[in-house]
Amino acid sequence: MKINSPKIHSAFIIAATVIFFPVAILLILIRFALHSPVNHLRAQDYRVVGHAFMTFYALCVLILILALSSDPTTTVVDLILVAVVMAVILVTPGIVFYVLANARNKKMQLLYIRYKQLTLDDGVQTVSGLAQFTGESSKNVTQDISFMMASGLFPNASLDSAGRITVTRRSSPAASSSAEAAASTERGAAVRTPRAQTVAVICSGCGSSSEVVPGERKECEFCGNMLSV
C-alpha cells in the first residue's frame, strides 16, 4: 500500500453512498478513526466526505425528478424548488468539507516547509524541539517527519528512536566539478610557469662558478662572497 493510500478507498465510500447512504456514513467514521494518527491523510478524508454529499445530492435530485415528472401537476418551478432545497441540505455541507480539505492541505504544506527551515536553517534537530516551535504534539511531529522522509519531501534525513533528526548534506555534482576544474587549472598553471634564466658567474674570491639570476644577488656557496650580474 502506498504511503498516501487511505485505509478505506474513496471509491468504496462513493459506491456505498449510491447503494445505501448510512453504510457510507459508517465507512467514513471508520476511516476517520483509522486515520486519527495520520496527519497527511486528513485532507483526503475531508474531501471524500464532500464527494459523498455531492453524490448523494445528485442521486436524490434524480430520484425526485423521476418521481415528480410522473405527476402531471408538477411544474418546472416545483422541480427547481426541490433542487434548491436539497442543495441547501446536502450541497452546503459538501462545500464546507471541500473548504476544510483545502485548508488542511495548505496547513500541512506550510508545516512541512517550517519543519525543514527549523531543521536545516535553525539547527533544531529533535522532535521535541520541532514540537515546541510549531505547537504540534511530538506524536504528530514524528509522524509528519516520517511521512516527509518516506515521500521524498525531506531527502537525506533520518529519524532515530530517540527522536533525533540527522540530515546528511551532500555537495552538488556541479560544485564538485567546478572545484576539480579550478584545481586542475591551478596545477596546469604551475606546470606551465617558466623558470627564471640564470647566468654563470665566476666568484672573484675563490674562482668557483655559480648560477645567478640577472638583477639578483647571491652568496657564493664556497666562500660566502656576494655575487651579482
Side-chain angles (χ1 to χ4, degrees), residues 1-119:
M1 179 181 293
K2 296 180 179 179
I3 192 169
N4 274 332
S5 298
K7 300 295 183 181
I8 300 177
H9 201 280
S10 300
F12 294 150
I13 295 177
I14 300 303
T17 302
V18 175
I19 297 172
F20 190 51
F21 189 67
V23 174
I25 296 177
L26 179 61
L27 292 177
I28 289 172
L29 293 176
I30 294 174
R31 176 164 154 168
F32 267 79
L34 293 175
H35 292 173
S36 59
V38 187
N39 286 338
H40 65 273
L41 292 177
R42 185 62 66 215
Q44 293 187 41
D45 293 341
Y46 290 145
R47 192 169 289 110
V48 74
V49 175
H51 293 340
F53 273 107
M54 294 301 181
T55 302
F56 191 59
Y57 167 73
L59 182 64
C60 289
V61 169
L62 178 62
I63 293 174
L64 287 173
I65 289 176
L66 293 175
L68 294 176
S69 61
S70 61
D71 187 353
T73 60
T74 302
T75 63
V76 175
V77 176
D78 295 331
L79 294 176
I80 295 175
L81 181 61
V82 170
V84 170
V85 172
M86 295 300 297
V88 173
I89 298 174
L90 296 176
V91 174
T92 301
I95 294 175
V96 170
F97 276 99
Y98 284 142
V99 172
L100 289 175
N102 290 333
R104 182 70 180 188
N105 186 59
K106 290 180 180 178
K107 175 186 175 181
M108 295 308 301
Q109 295 303 318
L110 293 175
L111 191 58
Y112 296 151
I113 295 173
R114 181 62 173 156
Y115 286 145
K116 294 185 69 173
Q117 288 177 340
L118 288 171
T119 304

Side-chain angles (χ1 to χ4, degrees), residues 40-213:
H40 65 273
L41 292 177
R42 185 62 66 215
Q44 293 187 41
D45 293 341
Y46 290 145
R47 192 169 289 110
V48 74
V49 175
H51 293 340
F53 273 107
M54 294 301 181
T55 302
F56 191 59
Y57 167 73
L59 182 64
C60 289
V61 169
L62 178 62
I63 293 174
L64 287 173
I65 289 176
L66 293 175
L68 294 176
S69 61
S70 61
D71 187 353
T73 60
T74 302
T75 63
V76 175
V77 176
D78 295 331
L79 294 176
I80 295 175
L81 181 61
V82 170
V84 170
V85 172
M86 295 300 297
V88 173
I89 298 174
L90 296 176
V91 174
T92 301
I95 294 175
V96 170
F97 276 99
Y98 284 142
V99 172
L100 289 175
N102 290 333
R104 182 70 180 188
N105 186 59
K106 290 180 180 178
K107 175 186 175 181
M108 295 308 301
Q109 295 303 318
L110 293 175
L111 191 58
Y112 296 151
I113 295 173
R114 181 62 173 156
Y115 286 145
K116 294 185 69 173
Q117 288 177 340
L118 288 171
T119 304
L120 300 177
D121 299 336
D122 299 335
V124 181
Q125 296 183 335
T126 61
V127 169
S128 59
L130 293 177
Q132 181 179 359
F133 279 101
T134 59
E136 296 287 324
S137 66
S138 296
K139 182 179 179 181
N140 284 346
V141 172
T142 300
Q143 192 278 325
D144 292 340
I145 295 296
S146 299
F147 167 72
M148 291 175 66
M149 292 187 299
S151 60
L153 295 175
F154 205 167
N156 305 326
S158 60
L159 178 64
D160 60 24
S161 57
R164 180 169 293 277
I165 303 166
T166 303
V167 181
T168 303
R169 297 181 182 270
R170 299 179 180 176
S171 59
S172 63
S176 300
S177 299
S178 299
E180 292 177 1
S184 177
T185 302
E186 292 179 359
R187 290 194 297 268
V191 171
R192 292 190 299 269
T193 301
R195 297 181 62 184
Q197 298 295 325
T198 59
V199 177
V201 177
I202 303 299
C203 179
S204 60
C206 64
S208 62
S209 177
S210 300
E211 298 290 330
V212 180
V213 177

